[in-house]
């Protein structure tokens, strides 16, 4: 099957590797409570930057939000004189709240996510009975990416790839010669993302992962999460296409689609829901904004009982 957008991403990666186009600089920040890696990518020539998958601190017991984790990103960006032009989300996360609106206030940048967010908004808008005031057209975001859409960070070229399966809206961002793959794969020794959330699909996830693993072997992959793997006592969020193809526990070369789907489906049946799924989804479907205040001026997070 011809895949013009993947071919364009491959050509972009190869041009950077030949030195014909500039390579990005990357700094990652790991949030241990949610096991999330936030990445800041910048063009060393222009100092334009993108923040990928930021984290708003949220204490479930008290319902309090805070910004210590996101502040680390602010300090790094200001300390290096970077100019943030994008706040990128790989998907509507179910395990942490996005800090993108707060980071936009601090640092600027256009907020972007995959165009499939409208499907997520429809599904979860119903589950949370969000009402007619909740727009399900993606209008909470500045840009909705479709597969193959191009954007830039200073002189660094980037391509958005639609990689559904974990959720219907997942995107991977190929920026220069590096791919930010969100929740598709994890480190080779840990495997792959679950595919059992509403709208998830293990067969689609397999196809999305194999598509990403068709990028050049040397391509660096930056992940959204790490949970350590048995026998590994440190966090890691950077690997390569070659390392995943050779050694990913779930999807190394030779694992068939049917075998993957059977493994993923039976494994997902054993997983409990993420601790922060209720607040995360209802905030992240709103582009990281808390629900509107009620008539007493207080914002509430809802919990649907016996629904998920
Ligand atoms: Fe996720």
């Amino acid at each position: 099957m011809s895949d013009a957008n993947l071919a364009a991403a491959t050509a972009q990666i190869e041009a950077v590797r030949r030195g014909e186009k500039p390579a990005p600089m990357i700094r990652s920040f790991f949030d241990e409570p949610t096991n999330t890696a936030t990445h800041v990518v910048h063009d060393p020539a222009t100092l334009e930057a993108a923040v990928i998958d930021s984290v708003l601190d949220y204490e479930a017991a008290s319902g309090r939000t805070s910004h210590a984790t996101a502040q680390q990103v602010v300090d790094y960006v200001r300390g290096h004189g970077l100019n943030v032009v994008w706040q990128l989300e790989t998907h509507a996360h179910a395990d942490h709240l996005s800090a993108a609106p707060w980071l936009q206030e601090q640092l600027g940048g256009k907020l972007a996510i995959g165009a499939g967010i409208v499907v997520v908004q429809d599904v979860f808008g119903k589950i949370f009975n969000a009402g007619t005031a909740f727009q399900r057209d993606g209008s909470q975001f500045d840009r909705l990416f479709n597969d193959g859409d191009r954007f830039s960070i200073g002189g660094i070229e980037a391509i958005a790839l639609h990689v559904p399966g974990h959720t219907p809206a997942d995107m991977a961002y190929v920026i220069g010669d590096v791919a930010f793959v969100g929740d598709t794969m994890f480190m080779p020794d840990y495997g792959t993302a679950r595919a059992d959330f509403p709208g998830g699909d293990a067969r689609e996830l397999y196809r999305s992962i194999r598509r990403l693993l068709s990028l050049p072997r040397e391509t660096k992959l930056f992940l959204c999460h790490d949970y350590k793997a048995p026998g590994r006592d440190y966090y890691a969020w950077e690997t390569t296409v070659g390392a995943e193809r050779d050694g990913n526990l779930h999807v190394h070369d030779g694992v068939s689609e049917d075998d993957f789907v059977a493994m993923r489906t039976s494994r997902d049946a054993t997983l409990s829901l993420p601790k922060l799924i209720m607040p995360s989804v209802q905030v992240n479907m709103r582009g990281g904004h808390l629900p509107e205040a009620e008539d007493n001026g207080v914002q509430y997070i809802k919990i649907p009982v016996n629904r998920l």
Side-chain angles (χ1 to χ4, degrees), residues 91-95 166 183 197 225:
H91 63 295
H93 307 275
D95 48 25
H166 172 62
D183 287 16
F197 295 149
H225 294 293

Side-chain angles (χ1 to χ4, degrees), residues 131-147:
T132 50
F134 173 53
Q135 299 290 317
R136 295 150 206 224
D137 56 2
S139 56
Q140 299 85 350
F141 299 85
D142 301 310
R143 172 108 185 243
L144 300 180
F145 286 123
N146 288 294
D147 192 73

Side-chain angles (χ1 to χ4, degrees), residues 88-295:
L88 302 174
E89 298 286 346
T90 54
H91 63 295
H93 307 275
D95 48 25
H96 68 273
L97 283 65
S98 168
W102 186 77
L103 284 173
Q104 273 187 306
E105 281 171 29
Q106 306 294 313
L107 302 171
K110 283 189 272 191
L111 176 57
I113 198 165
I117 188 66
V118 297
V119 178
V120 174
Q121 290 179 324
D122 188 51
V123 169
F124 283 102
K126 286 182 183 131
I127 290 174
F128 288 104
N129 197 25
T132 50
F134 173 53
Q135 299 290 317
R136 295 150 206 224
D137 56 2
S139 56
Q140 299 85 350
F141 299 85
D142 301 310
R143 172 108 185 243
L144 300 180
F145 286 123
N146 288 294
D147 192 73
D149 279 354
R150 293 165 180 271
F151 60 103
S152 61
I153 301 165
I156 310 276
E157 295 178 0
I159 297 182
L161 295 176
H162 182 215
V163 289
H166 172 62
T167 79
D170 280 61
M171 300 303 288
Y173 299 113
V174 181
I175 300 178
D177 58 345
V178 174
F180 297 85
V181 300
D183 287 16
T184 53
M185 289 160 274
F186 298 133
M187 291 299 283
D189 57 6
Y190 198 83
T192 56
R194 65 194 299 172
D196 61 333
F197 295 149
D201 185 309
R203 202 163 288 279
E204 277 191 333
L205 179 62
Y206 178 88
R207 292 175 188 174
S208 293
I209 291 172
R210 294 310 307 182
R211 187 177 185 222
L212 290 171
L213 294 183
S214 304
L215 293 169
R217 277 186 70 85
E218 314 72 37
T219 307
K220 284 184 196 164
L221 305 179
F222 282 80
L223 320 176
C224 184
H225 294 293
D226 188 57
Y227 305 92
K228 296 177 179 168
R232 172 158 60 80
D233 63 358
Y234 57 93
Y235 291 111
W237 47 79
E238 179 184 342
T239 181
T240 64
V241 166
E244 296 281 19
R245 290 185 61 161
D246 293 343
N248 186 290
L249 207 55
H250 299 162
V251 280
H252 60 81
D253 285 358
V255 175
S256 73
E257 183 171 312
D258 285 342
D259 286 349
F260 174 80
V261 170
M263 178 285 303
R264 192 65 264 170
T265 307
S266 62
R267 185 172 152 79
D268 286 349
T270 70
L271 301 176
S272 48
L273 288 176
K275 282 196 288 288
L276 295 181
I277 187 169
M278 297 297 185
S280 298
V281 172
Q282 60 197 296
V283 167
N284 295 338
M285 74 181 186
R286 293 175 163 89
H289 292 279
L290 292 165
E292 294 274 303
E294 298 197 3
D295 56 12

Side-chain angles (χ1 to χ4, degrees), residues 6-22:
L6 191 76
T10 299
Q12 174 186 296
I13 290 166
E14 287 172 345
V16 175
R17 292 186 61 81
R18 286 193 303 267
E20 295 164 12
K21 290 180 177 173

